[in-house]
Amino acid sequence: MYEGFHKYIPFQPVPLPDRTWPDKVITKAPIWCSVDLRDGNQALIDPMNLEEKLRFFQTLVDIGFKEIEIGFPSSSETEYEICRTLIDRNLIPDDVTIQVLVQARPHLIKKTFEAIQGAKNVIVHFYNSTSTLQRKVVFKTDMQGVIDIAVNGAKLIKELTDEEVARTGMNIRYEYSPESFSGTEMDNAVAICEAVMDVLQPTPENKLILNLPNTVEMSTPNHHADQIEYFCRHIKNRDSLHPHNDRGTATAATELGLLAGAERVEGTLFGNGERTGNADIMNVAMNMYSQGVDPELDFSNIREIREIYEKCTRMKVHDRHPYAGNLVFTAFSGSHQDAIKKGIDYMREHDTQYWEVPYLPIDPADVGRKYEPIIRINSQSGKGGAAFIMQQSFGYELPKAMHPEFGAMVKAACDEAGRELLPNEIFDIFRAHYLDVKYPYNLKKYKLYEENDTEGETVVHFEGNLRFRHEDHLISAVGNGPIDAFFKALRTVGIHDYKFVTYREHAVSEGADSKAISYIQLTAPDGRTVFGVGMDGNISLASIKGIICAINRACSEQKDPEGEAK
Ligand code: KIV
Ligand code: ZN
């Protein structure tokens, strides 16, 4: 029996029967604050070096973050140095505010003010832990003791801010975090924040940011939202969320927290951070995007952002990570593939302004991803899946009548391989079954030219060297078009009774060149219909090659026993 659950105390929700957040929807982006360079960085096995932090900082600026927590400058020389480098090298755009974290302890606060000298816009973010559990087991103090720490910290910060502003005009804002907010009794959380506000005296123009960390996620997101709504009702302020992801629901907690009244979100890219991480800002932002809300952050190049993130943090983004994972725009199931194809066709045909493709919550192109990897083929894929890959990845538009035949070939190859096939492997099957079929007939040399006949009508001459098995036959004929001439030439060596059923051709680019590809469906003398494919720079020769391919495919012996049919 798995009995250990008895030792856990269930979370005690705040009673809020008249909660209003469940009926709300998110209609605008919050203020975003990236804590990648602090919360994210402190949770790395190898924290970022100066160069990596600078690169990451620039990436955050490029994405559009206007508030960036750059570190904990009083905690180490390295942290101090990054703060100084950003300021001294003038790397902080005027519209970006750097945020610096500090514990509510006097010597650390003083060092922090030294670190920010010369900056234009700064948020001084101070915190102390307030939770029931930490008071009991860590600080061994009552709530008043914890309030005193916060109030004394606030007094010193206010004093140093007033001096700094008078001296340099620096734009300093305050942020206070009752750390472990979600594990704190709500009336105590309100009391400590009120005490801090009494000291800092925020005004409507210069509000204090009250950050409400879900330091350890301990409840379902609805109970977290109740806590936020409770707090917002008691203190009207610029309340900020700082969710962690211990239960794996930080995205939901962030979204419900916004419904509950928060105006600001602290989090990281891809959810890096202590233990299971912080809230993933990219995820929350792209969720808004997918609902038609401008997230005010730009993830249109998510591959590059992910690459920089992986390089700097040495963390890996999971293959299933929303919007960014390798596999998130891939459909394995045949019915999904079919529906995606139909959705894409529908959008093209109807020129709709909305994204209306089943199974793809957003257009992969919106995050800089491509359509090619959307569908990969396994033995469950429908008959249209392989044709879709040929179209999306290689530009080959197989006629619909050919889909079942080619789909069956790909399915057989999947079954044999016992795994999914990649687009290149699907192309190899196509090549082997259609493009490289040059036995028993192989057209070695060919010439087409036009002439006027005795009655002044334009006629087409076909001349060629048709190899049958290992014998060359010079064939020639005149017809009213290239295909007519070729069929007549074939008759001179006894090939007749093949009839055209359908024909389709289109251009396909091969490197810098464009070639014509023809799909020819013939009826063989025994009544079977066969497809052949021909490709050539000359559209008429593409069709002629397609006819030979179809005839070869109708023959029982398609492999040269001497292995030289090239
Ligand atoms: O998770 C947390 O509580 C924090 C605070 C320092 C804001 O990171
Ligand atoms: Zn945190």
Side-chain angles (χ1 to χ4, degrees), residues 38-39 101 125 127 177 179-180 211 213 215 242 244 266:
R38 196 278 299 171
D39 220 346
L101 182 73
H125 176 191
Y127 74 97
S177 289
E179 202 237 54
S180 303
N211 188 45
T215 304
H242 180 107
H244 277 265
E266 291 191 350

mmCIF file with all atom_site columns, all heavy atoms in Angstrom, residues 38-39 101 125 127 177 179-180 211 213 215 242 244 266, ligand 1:
data_model
loop_
_atom_site.group_PDB
_atom_site.id
_atom_site.type_symbol
_atom_site.label_atom_id
_atom_site.label_alt_id
_atom_site.label_comp_id
_atom_site.label_asym_id
_atom_site.label_entity_id
_atom_site.label_seq_id
_atom_site.pdbx_PDB_ins_code
_atom_site.Cartn_x
_atom_site.Cartn_y
_atom_site.Cartn_z
_atom_site.occupancy
_atom_site.B_iso_or_equiv
_atom_site.pdbx_formal_charge
_atom_site.auth_seq_id
_atom_site.auth_comp_id
_atom_site.auth_asym_id
_atom_site.auth_atom_id
_atom_site.pdbx_PDB_model_num
ATOM   1   N N   . ARG A 1 38  ? 17.630 36.421 -12.568 1.00 0.00 ? 38  ARG A N   1
ATOM   2   C CA  . ARG A 1 38  ? 17.746 36.272 -11.116 1.00 0.00 ? 38  ARG A CA  1
ATOM   3   C C   . ARG A 1 38  ? 17.174 34.923 -10.661 1.00 0.00 ? 38  ARG A C   1
ATOM   4   O O   . ARG A 1 38  ? 17.920 33.979 -10.409 1.00 0.00 ? 38  ARG A O   1
ATOM   5   C CB  . ARG A 1 38  ? 17.057 37.454 -10.415 1.00 0.00 ? 38  ARG A CB  1
ATOM   6   C CG  . ARG A 1 38  ? 17.431 37.615 -8.966  1.00 0.00 ? 38  ARG A CG  1
ATOM   7   C CD  . ARG A 1 38  ? 16.659 36.714 -8.019  1.00 0.00 ? 38  ARG A CD  1
ATOM   8   N NE  . ARG A 1 38  ? 15.221 36.956 -8.055  1.00 0.00 ? 38  ARG A NE  1
ATOM   9   C CZ  . ARG A 1 38  ? 14.340 36.178 -7.457  1.00 0.00 ? 38  ARG A CZ  1
ATOM   10  N NH1 . ARG A 1 38  ? 14.734 35.095 -6.775  1.00 0.00 ? 38  ARG A NH1 1
ATOM   11  N NH2 . ARG A 1 38  ? 13.038 36.432 -7.532  1.00 0.00 ? 38  ARG A NH2 1
ATOM   12  N N   . ASP A 1 39  ? 15.862 34.775 -10.654 1.00 0.00 ? 39  ASP A N   1
ATOM   13  C CA  . ASP A 1 39  ? 15.264 33.521 -10.164 1.00 0.00 ? 39  ASP A CA  1
ATOM   14  C C   . ASP A 1 39  ? 15.699 32.356 -11.059 1.00 0.00 ? 39  ASP A C   1
ATOM   15  O O   . ASP A 1 39  ? 16.050 31.274 -10.576 1.00 0.00 ? 39  ASP A O   1
ATOM   16  C CB  . ASP A 1 39  ? 13.728 33.638 -10.190 1.00 0.00 ? 39  ASP A CB  1
ATOM   17  C CG  . ASP A 1 39  ? 13.079 33.011 -8.961  1.00 0.00 ? 39  ASP A CG  1
ATOM   18  O OD1 . ASP A 1 39  ? 13.775 32.277 -8.246  1.00 0.00 ? 39  ASP A OD1 1
ATOM   19  O OD2 . ASP A 1 39  ? 11.878 33.242 -8.739  1.00 0.00 ? 39  ASP A OD2 1
ATOM   20  N N   . LEU A 1 101 ? 16.983 42.681 -6.837  1.00 0.00 ? 101 LEU A N   1
ATOM   21  C CA  . LEU A 1 101 ? 16.383 42.023 -5.673  1.00 0.00 ? 101 LEU A CA  1
ATOM   22  C C   . LEU A 1 101 ? 17.300 42.173 -4.462  1.00 0.00 ? 101 LEU A C   1
ATOM   23  O O   . LEU A 1 101 ? 18.530 42.115 -4.595  1.00 0.00 ? 101 LEU A O   1
ATOM   24  C CB  . LEU A 1 101 ? 16.168 40.533 -5.954  1.00 0.00 ? 101 LEU A CB  1
ATOM   25  C CG  . LEU A 1 101 ? 15.490 39.753 -4.827  1.00 0.00 ? 101 LEU A CG  1
ATOM   26  C CD1 . LEU A 1 101 ? 14.011 40.099 -4.737  1.00 0.00 ? 101 LEU A CD1 1
ATOM   27  C CD2 . LEU A 1 101 ? 15.651 38.241 -5.015  1.00 0.00 ? 101 LEU A CD2 1
ATOM   28  N N   . HIS A 1 125 ? 13.587 45.887 -5.386  1.00 0.00 ? 125 HIS A N   1
ATOM   29  C CA  . HIS A 1 125 ? 12.653 44.826 -4.985  1.00 0.00 ? 125 HIS A CA  1
ATOM   30  C C   . HIS A 1 125 ? 13.159 44.192 -3.697  1.00 0.00 ? 125 HIS A C   1
ATOM   31  O O   . HIS A 1 125 ? 14.205 43.543 -3.700  1.00 0.00 ? 125 HIS A O   1
ATOM   32  C CB  . HIS A 1 125 ? 12.602 43.790 -6.131  1.00 0.00 ? 125 HIS A CB  1
ATOM   33  C CG  . HIS A 1 125 ? 11.762 42.590 -5.840  1.00 0.00 ? 125 HIS A CG  1
ATOM   34  N ND1 . HIS A 1 125 ? 11.767 41.472 -6.637  1.00 0.00 ? 125 HIS A ND1 1
ATOM   35  C CD2 . HIS A 1 125 ? 10.865 42.313 -4.835  1.00 0.00 ? 125 HIS A CD2 1
ATOM   36  C CE1 . HIS A 1 125 ? 10.934 40.564 -6.163  1.00 0.00 ? 125 HIS A CE1 1
ATOM   37  N NE2 . HIS A 1 125 ? 10.380 41.045 -5.055  1.00 0.00 ? 125 HIS A NE2 1
ATOM   38  N N   . TYR A 1 127 ? 12.363 41.908 -0.034  1.00 0.00 ? 127 TYR A N   1
ATOM   39  C CA  . TYR A 1 127 ? 11.450 40.843 0.405   1.00 0.00 ? 127 TYR A CA  1
ATOM   40  C C   . TYR A 1 127 ? 11.881 40.284 1.745   1.00 0.00 ? 127 TYR A C   1
ATOM   41  O O   . TYR A 1 127 ? 13.032 40.404 2.154   1.00 0.00 ? 127 TYR A O   1
ATOM   42  C CB  . TYR A 1 127 ? 11.420 39.710 -0.630  1.00 0.00 ? 127 TYR A CB  1
ATOM   43  C CG  . TYR A 1 127 ? 12.660 38.845 -0.630  1.00 0.00 ? 127 TYR A CG  1
ATOM   44  C CD1 . TYR A 1 127 ? 12.701 37.626 0.057   1.00 0.00 ? 127 TYR A CD1 1
ATOM   45  C CD2 . TYR A 1 127 ? 13.810 39.239 -1.310  1.00 0.00 ? 127 TYR A CD2 1
ATOM   46  C CE1 . TYR A 1 127 ? 13.845 36.836 0.060   1.00 0.00 ? 127 TYR A CE1 1
ATOM   47  C CE2 . TYR A 1 127 ? 14.957 38.451 -1.321  1.00 0.00 ? 127 TYR A CE2 1
ATOM   48  C CZ  . TYR A 1 127 ? 14.967 37.253 -0.630  1.00 0.00 ? 127 TYR A CZ  1
ATOM   49  O OH  . TYR A 1 127 ? 16.105 36.490 -0.626  1.00 0.00 ? 127 TYR A OH  1
ATOM   50  N N   . SER A 1 177 ? 7.925  42.065 -1.715  1.00 0.00 ? 177 SER A N   1
ATOM   51  C CA  . SER A 1 177 ? 7.357  40.713 -1.792  1.00 0.00 ? 177 SER A CA  1
ATOM   52  C C   . SER A 1 177 ? 7.252  40.104 -0.408  1.00 0.00 ? 177 SER A C   1
ATOM   53  O O   . SER A 1 177 ? 8.279  39.902 0.255   1.00 0.00 ? 177 SER A O   1
ATOM   54  C CB  . SER A 1 177 ? 8.263  39.776 -2.607  1.00 0.00 ? 177 SER A CB  1
ATOM   55  O OG  . SER A 1 177 ? 8.232  40.084 -3.955  1.00 0.00 ? 177 SER A OG  1
ATOM   56  N N   . GLU A 1 179 ? 7.459  37.149 0.791   1.00 0.00 ? 179 GLU A N   1
ATOM   57  C CA  . GLU A 1 179 ? 7.849  35.867 0.209   1.00 0.00 ? 179 GLU A CA  1
ATOM   58  C C   . GLU A 1 179 ? 7.040  34.741 0.829   1.00 0.00 ? 179 GLU A C   1
ATOM   59  O O   . GLU A 1 179 ? 6.703  34.791 2.010   1.00 0.00 ? 179 GLU A O   1
ATOM   60  C CB  . GLU A 1 179 ? 9.355  35.656 0.424   1.00 0.00 ? 179 GLU A CB  1
ATOM   61  C CG  . GLU A 1 179 ? 9.973  34.664 -0.545  1.00 0.00 ? 179 GLU A CG  1
ATOM   62  C CD  . GLU A 1 179 ? 10.650 33.519 0.133   1.00 0.00 ? 179 GLU A CD  1
ATOM   63  O OE1 . GLU A 1 179 ? 10.002 32.856 0.970   1.00 0.00 ? 179 GLU A OE1 1
ATOM   64  O OE2 . GLU A 1 179 ? 11.838 33.308 -0.156  1.00 0.00 ? 179 GLU A OE2 1
ATOM   65  N N   . SER A 1 180 ? 6.693  33.739 0.060   1.00 0.00 ? 180 SER A N   1
ATOM   66  C CA  . SER A 1 180 ? 5.807  32.647 0.474   1.00 0.00 ? 180 SER A CA  1
ATOM   67  C C   . SER A 1 180 ? 4.409  33.176 0.799   1.00 0.00 ? 180 SER A C   1
ATOM   68  O O   . SER A 1 180 ? 3.722  32.668 1.692   1.00 0.00 ? 180 SER A O   1
ATOM   69  C CB  . SER A 1 180 ? 6.364  31.912 1.696   1.00 0.00 ? 180 SER A CB  1
ATOM   70  O OG  . SER A 1 180 ? 7.640  31.431 1.425   1.00 0.00 ? 180 SER A OG  1
ATOM   71  N N   . ASN A 1 211 ? 4.240  42.353 -4.784  1.00 0.00 ? 211 ASN A N   1
ATOM   72  C CA  . ASN A 1 211 ? 4.422  41.104 -5.512  1.00 0.00 ? 211 ASN A CA  1
ATOM   73  C C   . ASN A 1 211 ? 4.002  39.959 -4.594  1.00 0.00 ? 211 ASN A C   1
ATOM   74  O O   . ASN A 1 211 ? 4.422  39.901 -3.436  1.00 0.00 ? 211 ASN A O   1
ATOM   75  C CB  . ASN A 1 211 ? 5.907  40.995 -5.892  1.00 0.00 ? 211 ASN A CB  1
ATOM   76  C CG  . ASN A 1 211 ? 6.192  39.843 -6.808  1.00 0.00 ? 211 ASN A CG  1
ATOM   77  O OD1 . ASN A 1 211 ? 5.473  39.615 -7.777  1.00 0.00 ? 211 ASN A OD1 1
ATOM   78  N ND2 . ASN A 1 211 ? 7.255  39.101 -6.521  1.00 0.00 ? 211 ASN A ND2 1
ATOM   79  N N   . PRO A 1 213 ? 4.205  36.287 -4.173  1.00 0.00 ? 213 PRO A N   1
ATOM   80  C CA  . PRO A 1 213 ? 4.790  35.053 -4.694  1.00 0.00 ? 213 PRO A CA  1
ATOM   81  C C   . PRO A 1 213 ? 4.047  33.792 -4.267  1.00 0.00 ? 213 PRO A C   1
ATOM   82  O O   . PRO A 1 213 ? 3.664  33.633 -3.116  1.00 0.00 ? 213 PRO A O   1
ATOM   83  C CB  . PRO A 1 213 ? 6.208  35.040 -4.108  1.00 0.00 ? 213 PRO A CB  1
ATOM   84  C CG  . PRO A 1 213 ? 6.445  36.408 -3.590  1.00 0.00 ? 213 PRO A CG  1
ATOM   85  C CD  . PRO A 1 213 ? 5.097  36.955 -3.217  1.00 0.00 ? 213 PRO A CD  1
ATOM   86  N N   . THR A 1 215 ? 5.518  31.118 -3.877  1.00 0.00 ? 215 THR A N   1
ATOM   87  C CA  . THR A 1 215 ? 6.918  30.676 -3.788  1.00 0.00 ? 215 THR A CA  1
ATOM   88  C C   . THR A 1 215 ? 7.038  29.166 -3.931  1.00 0.00 ? 215 THR A C   1
ATOM   89  O O   . THR A 1 215 ? 7.914  28.660 -4.618  1.00 0.00 ? 215 THR A O   1
ATOM   90  C CB  . THR A 1 215 ? 7.511  31.148 -2.441  1.00 0.00 ? 215 THR A CB  1
ATOM   91  O OG1 . THR A 1 215 ? 7.340  32.561 -2.377  1.00 0.00 ? 215 THR A OG1 1
ATOM   92  C CG2 . THR A 1 215 ? 8.974  30.796 -2.313  1.00 0.00 ? 215 THR A CG2 1
ATOM   93  N N   . HIS A 1 242 ? 3.815  36.083 -8.941  1.00 0.00 ? 242 HIS A N   1
ATOM   94  C CA  . HIS A 1 242 ? 5.146  35.474 -9.082  1.00 0.00 ? 242 HIS A CA  1
ATOM   95  C C   . HIS A 1 242 ? 4.967  33.970 -8.846  1.00 0.00 ? 242 HIS A C   1
ATOM   96  O O   . HIS A 1 242 ? 5.376  33.434 -7.829  1.00 0.00 ? 242 HIS A O   1
ATOM   97  C CB  . HIS A 1 242 ? 6.108  36.107 -8.063  1.00 0.00 ? 242 HIS A CB  1
ATOM   98  C CG  . HIS A 1 242 ? 7.496  35.565 -8.119  1.00 0.00 ? 242 HIS A CG  1
ATOM   99  N ND1 . HIS A 1 242 ? 8.567  36.279 -8.634  1.00 0.00 ? 242 HIS A ND1 1
ATOM   100 C CD2 . HIS A 1 242 ? 8.017  34.382 -7.723  1.00 0.00 ? 242 HIS A CD2 1
ATOM   101 C CE1 . HIS A 1 242 ? 9.664  35.548 -8.550  1.00 0.00 ? 242 HIS A CE1 1
ATOM   102 N NE2 . HIS A 1 242 ? 9.364  34.388 -8.000  1.00 0.00 ? 242 HIS A NE2 1
ATOM   103 N N   . HIS A 1 244 ? 5.290  29.966 -8.961  1.00 0.00 ? 244 HIS A N   1
ATOM   104 C CA  . HIS A 1 244 ? 6.212  28.851 -9.229  1.00 0.00 ? 244 HIS A CA  1
ATOM   105 C C   . HIS A 1 244 ? 5.362  27.657 -9.646  1.00 0.00 ? 244 HIS A C   1
ATOM   106 O O   . HIS A 1 244 ? 4.131  27.697 -9.604  1.00 0.00 ? 244 HIS A O   1
ATOM   107 C CB  . HIS A 1 244 ? 7.095  28.574 -8.016  1.00 0.00 ? 244 HIS A CB  1
ATOM   108 C CG  . HIS A 1 244 ? 8.291  29.495 -7.973  1.00 0.00 ? 244 HIS A CG  1
ATOM   109 N ND1 . HIS A 1 244 ? 9.513  29.140 -8.482  1.00 0.00 ? 244 HIS A ND1 1
ATOM   110 C CD2 . HIS A 1 244 ? 8.425  30.758 -7.500  1.00 0.00 ? 244 HIS A CD2 1
ATOM   111 C CE1 . HIS A 1 244 ? 10.361 30.147 -8.319  1.00 0.00 ? 244 HIS A CE1 1
ATOM   112 N NE2 . HIS A 1 244 ? 9.725  31.156 -7.728  1.00 0.00 ? 244 HIS A NE2 1
ATOM   113 N N   . GLU A 1 266 ? 5.518  38.223 -12.934 1.00 0.00 ? 266 GLU A N   1
ATOM   114 C CA  . GLU A 1 266 ? 6.944  37.914 -12.961 1.00 0.00 ? 266 GLU A CA  1
ATOM   115 C C   . GLU A 1 266 ? 7.104  36.443 -13.351 1.00 0.00 ? 266 GLU A C   1
ATOM   116 O O   . GLU A 1 266 ? 6.398  35.567 -12.822 1.00 0.00 ? 266 GLU A O   1
ATOM   117 C CB  . GLU A 1 266 ? 7.567  38.134 -11.574 1.00 0.00 ? 266 GLU A CB  1
ATOM   118 C CG  . GLU A 1 266 ? 7.628  39.586 -11.195 1.00 0.00 ? 266 GLU A CG  1
ATOM   119 C CD  . GLU A 1 266 ? 8.465  39.871 -9.950  1.00 0.00 ? 266 GLU A CD  1
ATOM   120 O OE1 . GLU A 1 266 ? 8.855  38.894 -9.263  1.00 0.00 ? 266 GLU A OE1 1
ATOM   121 O OE2 . GLU A 1 266 ? 8.714  41.039 -9.665  1.00 0.00 ? 266 GLU A OE2 1
HETATM 122 O O1  . KIV B 2 .   ? 9.652  32.801 -5.254  1.00 0.00 ? 1   KIV B O1  1
HETATM 123 C C1  . KIV B 2 .   ? 9.833  33.773 -4.510  1.00 0.00 ? 1   KIV B C1  1
HETATM 124 O O2  . KIV B 2 .   ? 9.187  33.942 -3.487  1.00 0.00 ? 1   KIV B O2  1
HETATM 125 C C2  . KIV B 2 .   ? 10.859 34.729 -4.892  1.00 0.00 ? 1   KIV B C2  1
HETATM 126 C C3  . KIV B 2 .   ? 10.890 36.001 -4.138  1.00 0.00 ? 1   KIV B C3  1
HETATM 127 C C4  . KIV B 2 .   ? 12.266 36.397 -3.805  1.00 0.00 ? 1   KIV B C4  1
HETATM 128 C C5  . KIV B 2 .   ? 10.146 37.053 -4.887  1.00 0.00 ? 1   KIV B C5  1
HETATM 129 O O3  . KIV B 2 .   ? 11.583 34.504 -5.841  1.00 0.00 ? 1   KIV B O3  1
#
